[in-house]
Amino acid sequence: MNQFDLKGKIALITGASYGIGYAIAKAFHAAGAVIVFNDINQEKVDMGLASYKADGIDAHGYVFDVTDEEAVTEAIAKITKEVGTIDILVNNAGIIKRIPALEMSAKDFKQVVDIDLNGPFIVSKAVAPGMIAKGGGKIINICSMMSELGRETVSAYAAAKGGLKMLTKNLACEWGAFNIQVNGIGPGYITTPQTAPLREEGHPFNTFIVTRTPAGRWGTPEDLQGPAVFLASSASDFVNGHILYVDGGILAYLGKQPS
Ligand code: NAP
Ligand code: GCO
Protein backbone atom coordinates (compact mmCIF):
# COMPACT_ATOMS: atom_id res chain seq x y z
CA MET A 1 0.00 0.00 0.00
CA ASN A 2 1.42 3.39 -1.02
CA GLN A 3 1.15 5.57 2.08
CA PHE A 4 1.78 8.67 -0.03
CA ASP A 5 -1.16 8.04 -2.36
CA LEU A 6 -3.74 10.88 -2.52
CA LYS A 7 -6.08 9.17 -4.99
CA GLY A 8 -9.73 9.98 -4.28
CA LYS A 9 -8.81 12.98 -2.10
CA ILE A 10 -10.02 16.54 -2.73
CA ALA A 11 -7.42 19.18 -1.87
CA LEU A 12 -8.01 22.93 -1.44
CA ILE A 13 -4.86 25.06 -1.63
CA THR A 14 -5.44 28.77 -0.97
CA GLY A 15 -3.55 31.44 -2.92
CA ALA A 16 -2.36 28.82 -5.40
CA SER A 17 -2.41 30.56 -8.81
CA TYR A 18 1.39 30.49 -8.65
CA GLY A 19 4.29 30.26 -6.18
CA ILE A 20 4.50 27.75 -3.35
CA GLY A 21 0.79 26.93 -3.45
CA TYR A 22 0.97 26.10 -7.14
CA ALA A 23 3.95 23.78 -6.64
CA ILE A 24 2.20 21.98 -3.79
CA ALA A 25 -0.96 21.59 -5.91
CA LYS A 26 1.08 20.05 -8.74
CA ALA A 27 2.58 17.50 -6.33
CA PHE A 28 -0.84 16.66 -4.91
CA HIS A 29 -2.15 16.12 -8.45
CA ALA A 30 0.77 13.83 -9.25
CA ALA A 31 -0.14 11.84 -6.12
CA GLY A 32 -3.73 11.49 -7.36
CA ALA A 33 -5.65 14.30 -5.64
CA VAL A 34 -8.36 16.49 -7.20
CA ILE A 35 -7.10 20.11 -7.10
CA VAL A 36 -9.18 23.02 -5.90
CA PHE A 37 -7.51 26.41 -5.48
CA ASN A 38 -8.48 29.99 -4.83
CA ASP A 39 -7.14 33.43 -5.32
CA ILE A 40 -8.30 36.87 -4.44
CA ASN A 41 -9.56 37.94 -7.86
CA GLN A 42 -10.85 36.38 -11.08
CA GLU A 43 -7.84 37.56 -13.08
CA LYS A 44 -5.48 35.58 -10.83
CA VAL A 45 -7.77 32.54 -10.80
CA ASP A 46 -7.99 32.61 -14.62
CA MET A 47 -4.19 32.87 -14.81
CA GLY A 48 -3.94 29.92 -12.45
CA LEU A 49 -6.46 27.83 -14.40
CA ALA A 50 -4.48 28.41 -17.60
CA SER A 51 -1.25 27.35 -15.88
CA TYR A 52 -2.80 24.23 -14.40
CA LYS A 53 -4.32 23.35 -17.79
CA ALA A 54 -0.93 23.79 -19.45
CA ASP A 55 0.45 21.36 -16.87
CA GLY A 56 -2.30 18.84 -17.66
CA ILE A 57 -4.20 19.53 -14.43
CA ASP A 58 -8.00 19.98 -14.55
CA ALA A 59 -8.09 22.24 -11.48
CA HIS A 60 -11.15 23.92 -9.96
CA GLY A 61 -10.64 27.64 -9.28
CA TYR A 62 -12.65 29.86 -6.93
CA VAL A 63 -12.45 33.56 -6.14
CA PHE A 64 -12.59 34.55 -2.49
CA ASP A 65 -10.65 36.57 0.05
CA VAL A 66 -9.52 34.30 2.89
CA THR A 67 -10.18 37.10 5.39
CA ASP A 68 -13.86 37.42 4.42
CA GLU A 69 -15.70 34.88 6.62
CA GLU A 70 -18.98 35.16 4.71
CA ALA A 71 -17.29 34.72 1.33
CA VAL A 72 -15.26 31.78 2.65
CA THR A 73 -18.34 30.03 4.05
CA GLU A 74 -20.18 30.49 0.75
CA ALA A 75 -17.17 29.30 -1.26
CA ILE A 76 -16.67 26.14 0.82
CA ALA A 77 -20.39 25.31 0.43
CA LYS A 78 -20.06 25.86 -3.34
CA ILE A 79 -16.91 23.70 -3.56
CA THR A 80 -18.59 20.95 -1.51
CA LYS A 81 -21.60 21.01 -3.86
CA GLU A 82 -19.64 21.26 -7.11
CA VAL A 83 -16.54 19.16 -6.36
CA GLY A 84 -17.08 17.35 -3.07
CA THR A 85 -16.06 17.48 0.59
CA ILE A 86 -12.53 18.79 1.11
CA ASP A 87 -10.13 16.15 2.52
CA ILE A 88 -6.93 18.24 2.49
CA LEU A 89 -6.63 21.97 3.19
CA VAL A 90 -3.40 23.92 2.65
CA ASN A 91 -3.58 27.43 4.11
CA ASN A 92 -1.00 28.93 1.79
CA ALA A 93 -2.37 32.40 0.91
CA GLY A 94 -0.25 35.08 2.51
CA ILE A 95 1.39 38.46 2.16
CA ILE A 96 4.39 40.23 3.65
CA LYS A 97 5.05 43.92 4.17
CA ARG A 98 8.70 44.79 4.82
CA ILE A 99 8.47 48.03 6.84
CA PRO A 100 10.44 49.02 9.99
CA ALA A 101 8.11 48.82 13.02
CA LEU A 102 8.54 52.52 13.80
CA GLU A 103 7.31 53.37 10.31
CA MET A 104 4.59 50.74 9.96
CA SER A 105 0.97 51.86 10.29
CA ALA A 106 -1.44 49.88 12.45
CA LYS A 107 -3.49 49.43 9.27
CA ASP A 108 -0.61 47.73 7.46
CA PHE A 109 0.16 45.59 10.52
CA LYS A 110 -3.48 44.51 10.75
CA GLN A 111 -3.70 43.63 7.05
CA VAL A 112 -0.74 41.22 7.29
CA VAL A 113 -2.13 39.55 10.42
CA ASP A 114 -5.61 39.37 8.85
CA ILE A 115 -4.40 37.48 5.79
CA ASP A 116 -1.59 35.40 7.31
CA LEU A 117 -3.25 34.42 10.61
CA ASN A 118 -6.97 35.21 10.65
CA GLY A 119 -7.35 33.81 7.12
CA PRO A 120 -6.10 30.31 8.01
CA PHE A 121 -8.40 30.31 11.06
CA ILE A 122 -11.42 31.35 8.99
CA VAL A 123 -10.80 28.81 6.21
CA SER A 124 -9.93 25.97 8.64
CA LYS A 125 -13.12 26.64 10.63
CA ALA A 126 -15.19 26.52 7.43
CA VAL A 127 -13.60 23.29 6.17
CA ALA A 128 -13.41 21.32 9.44
CA PRO A 129 -17.14 20.39 9.74
CA GLY A 130 -17.00 18.53 6.40
CA MET A 131 -13.83 16.73 7.48
CA ILE A 132 -15.45 15.74 10.78
CA ALA A 133 -18.53 14.42 8.97
CA LYS A 134 -16.28 12.47 6.59
CA GLY A 135 -14.25 10.89 9.40
CA GLY A 136 -11.09 12.95 9.21
CA GLY A 137 -8.85 15.21 7.15
CA LYS A 138 -5.53 17.00 6.82
CA ILE A 139 -4.82 20.68 7.40
CA ILE A 140 -1.40 22.09 6.50
CA ASN A 141 -0.57 25.68 7.45
CA ILE A 142 2.27 27.36 5.58
CA CYS A 143 4.25 28.90 8.39
CA SER A 144 7.72 30.38 8.04
CA MET A 145 11.16 30.60 9.55
CA MET A 146 9.66 33.76 10.98
CA SER A 147 7.49 31.47 13.09
CA GLU A 148 10.76 31.00 15.06
CA LEU A 149 13.06 33.94 14.26
CA GLY A 150 12.75 37.67 13.75
CA ARG A 151 14.55 40.09 11.54
CA GLU A 152 14.31 43.81 10.85
CA THR A 153 11.24 45.10 8.95
CA VAL A 154 9.03 42.00 9.21
CA SER A 155 7.36 42.42 12.64
CA ALA A 156 3.80 42.00 11.36
CA TYR A 157 4.73 38.95 9.30
CA ALA A 158 6.69 37.33 12.15
CA ALA A 159 3.84 38.01 14.59
CA ALA A 160 1.36 36.43 12.18
CA LYS A 161 3.52 33.42 11.34
CA GLY A 162 4.40 32.89 15.02
CA GLY A 163 0.70 32.96 15.75
CA LEU A 164 0.05 30.56 12.88
CA LYS A 165 2.49 28.09 14.47
CA MET A 166 0.49 28.18 17.72
CA LEU A 167 -2.86 28.10 15.88
CA THR A 168 -1.61 24.93 14.16
CA LYS A 169 -0.77 23.32 17.50
CA ASN A 170 -4.03 24.40 19.08
CA LEU A 171 -6.30 23.20 16.28
CA ALA A 172 -4.34 19.92 16.37
CA CYS A 173 -5.37 19.62 20.03
CA GLU A 174 -9.04 20.45 19.37
CA TRP A 175 -9.53 18.37 16.24
CA GLY A 176 -7.23 15.36 16.77
CA ALA A 177 -10.14 13.38 18.21
CA PHE A 178 -11.94 13.78 14.86
CA ASN A 179 -8.97 12.22 13.03
CA ILE A 180 -7.99 15.60 11.60
CA GLN A 181 -4.23 16.13 11.61
CA VAL A 182 -3.23 19.79 11.68
CA ASN A 183 0.43 20.46 10.89
CA GLY A 184 2.59 23.19 9.42
CA ILE A 185 5.35 23.56 6.90
CA GLY A 186 7.99 26.19 7.66
CA PRO A 187 9.75 27.00 4.39
CA GLY A 188 13.15 28.65 4.47
CA TYR A 189 13.92 31.29 1.84
CA ILE A 190 12.19 30.20 -1.35
CA THR A 191 12.44 31.62 -4.87
CA THR A 192 8.94 33.00 -5.51
CA PRO A 193 7.51 36.44 -6.36
CA GLN A 194 7.24 37.13 -2.62
CA THR A 195 11.02 37.07 -2.21
CA ALA A 196 11.89 38.50 -5.61
CA PRO A 197 12.78 41.92 -4.11
CA LEU A 198 15.38 40.21 -1.90
CA ARG A 199 16.99 38.45 -4.87
CA GLU A 200 17.46 41.44 -7.15
CA GLU A 201 20.91 41.61 -8.74
CA GLY A 202 23.46 42.70 -6.16
CA HIS A 203 20.98 42.76 -3.26
CA PRO A 204 23.11 42.04 -0.14
CA PHE A 205 20.33 39.82 1.23
CA ASN A 206 21.06 37.23 -1.47
CA THR A 207 24.61 36.58 -0.19
CA PHE A 208 23.41 36.81 3.40
CA ILE A 209 20.85 34.04 2.96
CA VAL A 210 23.09 31.74 0.94
CA THR A 211 25.87 31.96 3.55
CA ARG A 212 23.34 31.47 6.39
CA THR A 213 21.95 28.33 4.78
CA PRO A 214 24.02 25.12 5.19
CA ALA A 215 22.61 23.91 1.86
CA GLY A 216 24.27 26.99 0.37
CA ARG A 217 21.31 27.97 -1.83
CA TRP A 218 17.81 29.43 -1.87
CA GLY A 219 15.04 26.86 -1.69
CA THR A 220 12.66 26.29 -4.59
CA PRO A 221 8.90 25.68 -4.45
CA GLU A 222 9.66 22.14 -5.62
CA ASP A 223 11.65 21.54 -2.40
CA LEU A 224 8.35 21.77 -0.53
CA GLN A 225 6.45 19.23 -2.64
CA GLY A 226 7.58 16.03 -0.91
CA PRO A 227 7.04 17.37 2.63
CA ALA A 228 3.57 18.60 1.62
CA VAL A 229 2.56 15.23 0.14
CA PHE A 230 3.84 13.55 3.32
CA LEU A 231 1.69 15.77 5.57
CA ALA A 232 -1.33 15.38 3.24
CA SER A 233 -1.10 11.57 3.13
CA SER A 234 -1.81 8.64 5.44
CA ALA A 235 1.96 8.43 6.00
CA SER A 236 1.51 11.23 8.58
CA ASP A 237 -1.65 9.97 10.32
CA PHE A 238 0.13 10.02 13.70
CA VAL A 239 1.86 13.37 13.10
CA ASN A 240 -0.17 16.19 14.65
CA GLY A 241 0.66 19.73 15.78
CA HIS A 242 4.07 19.56 14.13
CA ILE A 243 5.82 22.30 12.16
CA LEU A 244 8.05 20.68 9.53
CA TYR A 245 10.82 23.15 8.64
CA VAL A 246 12.06 22.82 5.07
CA ASP A 247 14.86 25.37 5.18
CA GLY A 248 18.14 23.82 4.01
CA GLY A 249 19.29 23.82 7.64
CA ILE A 250 19.18 27.58 8.24
CA LEU A 251 17.38 27.25 11.60
CA ALA A 252 20.08 24.82 12.80
CA TYR A 253 22.94 27.14 11.88
CA LEU A 254 24.48 29.91 14.01
CA GLY A 255 26.25 31.18 10.91
CA LYS A 256 29.63 30.77 9.31
CA GLN A 257 32.28 31.00 12.02
CA PRO A 258 35.06 33.57 11.56
CA SER A 259 38.04 31.93 9.82
P1 NAP B 1 3.22 34.74 -3.22
O1 NAP B 1 4.05 34.41 -4.40
O2 NAP B 1 3.10 36.16 -2.78
O3 NAP B 1 1.76 34.10 -3.40
C1 NAP B 1 0.83 34.30 -2.37
C2 NAP B 1 -0.51 33.99 -2.96
O4 NAP B 1 -1.54 34.27 -1.98
C3 NAP B 1 -0.81 34.86 -4.19
O5 NAP B 1 -1.48 34.11 -5.16
C4 NAP B 1 -1.73 35.91 -3.59
O6 NAP B 1 -2.59 36.49 -4.52
C5 NAP B 1 -2.53 35.08 -2.60
N1 NAP B 1 -3.25 35.92 -1.63
C6 NAP B 1 -2.78 37.01 -0.98
N2 NAP B 1 -3.73 37.52 -0.19
C7 NAP B 1 -4.84 36.74 -0.35
C8 NAP B 1 -6.16 36.76 0.20
N3 NAP B 1 -6.55 37.70 1.08
N4 NAP B 1 -7.04 35.81 -0.19
C9 NAP B 1 -6.67 34.87 -1.10
N5 NAP B 1 -5.44 34.79 -1.67
C10 NAP B 1 -4.54 35.72 -1.28
O7 NAP B 1 3.77 33.94 -1.98
P2 NAP B 1 4.63 32.61 -1.89
O8 NAP B 1 6.08 32.98 -1.80
O9 NAP B 1 4.17 31.60 -2.89
O10 NAP B 1 4.19 32.17 -0.42
C11 NAP B 1 3.06 31.36 -0.20
C12 NAP B 1 2.99 31.17 1.30
O11 NAP B 1 4.27 30.71 1.78
C13 NAP B 1 2.71 32.48 2.06
O12 NAP B 1 1.90 32.19 3.18
C14 NAP B 1 4.11 32.91 2.53
O13 NAP B 1 4.04 33.69 3.71
C15 NAP B 1 4.73 31.58 2.82
N6 NAP B 1 6.19 31.54 2.82
C16 NAP B 1 6.89 31.98 1.73
C17 NAP B 1 8.29 31.86 1.76
C18 NAP B 1 9.14 32.32 0.63
O14 NAP B 1 10.38 32.42 0.83
N7 NAP B 1 8.60 32.61 -0.55
C19 NAP B 1 8.92 31.30 2.85
C20 NAP B 1 8.16 30.90 3.95
C21 NAP B 1 6.79 31.01 3.91
P3 NAP B 1 -2.16 37.88 -5.19
O15 NAP B 1 -1.11 37.54 -6.18
O16 NAP B 1 -3.42 38.42 -5.80
O17 NAP B 1 -1.65 38.75 -4.05
C1 GCO C 1 11.81 38.00 4.45
C2 GCO C 1 11.35 36.83 3.64
C3 GCO C 1 10.96 35.70 4.55
C4 GCO C 1 10.44 34.55 3.75
C5 GCO C 1 10.02 33.42 4.61
C6 GCO C 1 11.16 32.83 5.37
O1 GCO C 1 11.51 39.14 4.06
O2 GCO C 1 12.47 37.74 5.46
O3 GCO C 1 10.25 37.20 2.82
O4 GCO C 1 10.00 36.14 5.47
O5 GCO C 1 9.33 34.94 3.01
O6 GCO C 1 8.94 33.73 5.40
O7 GCO C 1 10.71 31.64 5.97
Side-chain angles (χ1 to χ4, degrees), residues 188-249:
Y189 281 82
I190 311 294
T191 55
T192 72
Q194 191 243 49
T195 55
L198 302 176
R199 288 181 282 109
E200 280 165 5
E201 190 56 39
H203 195 300
F205 206 87
N206 196 29
T207 311
F208 169 66
I209 286 302
V210 170
T211 51
R212 276 296 311 273
T213 307
R217 66 175 175 87
W218 283 74
T220 65
E222 289 68 30
D223 286 319
L224 303 170
Q225 290 179 319
V229 170
F230 165 64
L231 290 176
S233 70
S234 61
S236 61
D237 281 355
F238 203 54
V239 179
N240 205 11
H242 182 72
I243 312 299
L244 177 54
Y245 287 98
V246 186
D247 66 354

Side-chain angles (χ1 to χ4, degrees), residues 96 98 143-146 151 153-154 157 161 186-190 194-195 198 205:
I96 191 168
R98 300 182 181 97
C143 297
S144 162
M145 282 178 26
M146 273 54 212
R151 82 174 186 86
T153 76
V154 294
Y157 183 81
K161 293 296 188 180
Y189 281 82
I190 311 294
Q194 191 243 49
T195 55
L198 302 176
F205 206 87

